[in-house]
Amino acid sequence: MTAKDIHLPYFDLLLAQLEQENAKLELAFGRHVHWGYWSEPPQGVVSPKDFAQAAENLSKEIYFAANTKNNQRILDVGCGFGGTVASLNENFSGMELIGLNIDIRQLLRAQEKIKARPGNVIYFEAADACALPFPDQSFDVVLAVECIFHFAQRSQFFAEVWRVLKPGGRFAFSDFVSQDFFSPLMAFSSGWPFSRGFFGHCNLQYTLTQYRSLAQAMGFKERMEKDITENTLPTYAFLRALGKELRIKDPSAKLETWIAEWASRLGLLRYRVFSFEKLKSG
Ligand SMILES: C[S@@+](CC[C@H](N)C(=O)[O-])C[C@H]1O[C@@H](n2cnc3c(N)ncnc32)[C@H](O)[C@@H]1O
């Protein structure tokens, strides 16, 4: 995939709104662009500030699942506006943090907003997740927060993560994962016209069984797997309200969010966090 193939209308909308200094969107999505982790179901209306906190919590869930420590070299693939890199920068020292994204517009914003604390190094790289421009065995940790469903091929991405991780390194990510029996029905999510919808190309068909066998075939040892679907559900009401307020015209925005919400509420699509280790002997 090349930059000219990028079709992410939700980011076109976000970038346009941020450019116009939409304060609500700046608070909710100016740092992280993901579903968030709600540790307690919120009472009443969710504010952009609550949402921003939930978004911060999700990044922490993932980088703590990777056993992140001070003095590490970390790659955050599909880094969006760099929220996870910013959070790592604020909470750890002696870090070399690299955010990678296929969409240079997002990286320009990240570069402008995020400044490394003394002792940390941060830079951003424009590239495709399935062709990582880094030498073998060069990272302690690779993260991928809610972005793998966009990639052309999970197997190619996993092979690249394996290659760039040091022995003993950790790979943690979150993704929407289909139940085995529901996966054939989710096949439509990766095909036309869904691939041209508001959320761009999304393959929500991958299952837990497939993730586990891919990881095993690659030589990864599973260190953690957690179903956090329930902790993401409050996000849907927030998105619905926002969609109305912004008067989003694209019908696929509503339809795709509705499918994700109801497949999640019915237990057919699960939101999972994974952590794998590249064993030293691997
Ligand atoms: C839902 S957003 C998540 C952003 C970020 N991880 C976060 O949590 O805020 C998905 C991200 O994946 C990026 N992306 C999509 N396809 C990609 C690819 N092939 N290579 C690298 N990044 C990609 C998008 O540009 C977007 O930033």
Side-chain angles (χ1 to χ4, degrees):
M1 189 187 271
T2 62
K4 73 173 169 40
D5 303 318
I6 301 167
H7 174 75
L8 297 167
Y10 70 114
F11 267 101
D12 300 341
L13 176 96
L14 275 178
L15 285 157
Q17 290 288 328
L18 294 172
E19 184 74 33
Q20 289 167 32
E21 299 181 0
N22 179 326
K24 199 180 234 185
L25 275 195
E26 182 70 50
L27 191 51
F29 291 111
R31 178 169 158 114
H32 301 283
V33 184
H34 55 231
W35 254 214
Y37 178 94
W38 304 86
S39 37
E40 299 284 336
Q43 305 294 319
V45 183
V46 168
S47 71
K49 193 162 165 249
D50 298 333
F51 184 76
Q53 185 56 57
E56 181 71 14
N57 294 345
L58 180 68
S59 282
K60 287 187 171 169
E61 279 288 313
I62 296 164
Y63 66 64
F64 284 126
N67 205 18
T68 298
K69 302 182 189 87
N70 291 329
N71 306 310
Q72 287 188 318
R73 186 164 195 258
I74 299 189
L75 172 65
D76 181 29
V77 180
C79 67
F81 296 138
T84 301
V85 166
S87 182
L88 289 165
N89 177 47
E90 288 155 16
N91 290 294
F92 294 91
S93 6
M95 307 297 269
E96 190 174 342
L97 304 168
I98 294 125
L100 177 138
N101 205 320
I102 196 142
D103 182 357
I104 195 148
R105 301 168 306 167
Q106 297 173 44
L107 295 181
L108 291 174
R109 181 185 156 89
Q111 232 154 14
E112 189 192 311
K113 297 269 169 196
I114 305 166
K115 302 293 168 219
R117 285 194 313 122
N120 289 343
V121 174
I122 296 179
Y123 63 93
F124 294 96
E125 188 84 36
D128 183 351
C130 294
L132 297 175
F134 305 107
D136 297 358
Q137 306 193 0
S138 49
F139 291 96
D140 300 293
V141 170
V142 176
L143 305 171
V145 182
E146 206 177 295
C147 50
I148 301 180
F149 51 80
H150 279 315
F151 303 167
Q153 242 196 346
R154 282 173 172 90
S155 54
Q156 178 60 27
F157 173 56
F158 264 57
E160 281 293 84
V161 174
W162 174 268
R163 182 182 67 72
V164 302
L165 267 181
K166 295 176 188 169
R170 292 283 279 259
F171 169 36
F173 63 92
S174 65
D175 198 8
F176 296 93
V177 178
S178 184
Q179 298 286 51
D180 286 320
F181 62 91
F182 188 58
S183 173
L185 280 173
M186 284 310 273
F188 66 81
S189 68
S190 58
W192 191 90
F194 282 87
S195 58
R196 305 304 299 165
F198 185 68
F199 292 103
H201 165 80
C202 293
N203 180 337
L204 306 185
Q205 210 191 341
Y206 222 63
T207 67
L208 181 58
T209 315
Q210 285 176 306
Y211 261 129
R212 285 193 164 141
S213 53
L214 175 60
Q216 199 180 13
M218 211 63 71
F220 282 117
K221 170 95 183 151
E222 186 174 315
R223 288 294 178 207
M224 193 269 247
E225 180 281 313
K226 198 167 153 190
D227 181 339
I228 60 161
T229 314
E230 295 302 316
N231 308 92
T232 64
L233 295 180
T235 292
Y236 291 99
F238 182 72
L239 294 181
R240 267 197 305 276
L242 204 60
K244 263 192 206 146
E245 199 176 310
L246 293 172
R247 298 204 177 102
I248 298 175
K249 294 211 178 62
D250 184 345
S252 68
K254 212 183 238 180
L255 179 64
E256 291 172 3
T257 313
W258 186 86
I259 292 172
E261 174 169 6
W262 283 99
S264 302
R265 290 197 187 281
L266 295 169
L268 307 170
L269 188 68
R270 313 302 298 172
Y271 193 104
R272 296 182 187 273
V273 175
F274 294 86
S275 177
F276 292 105
E277 182 177 346
K278 175 176 174 175
L279 291 181
K280 288 204 166 82
S281 54

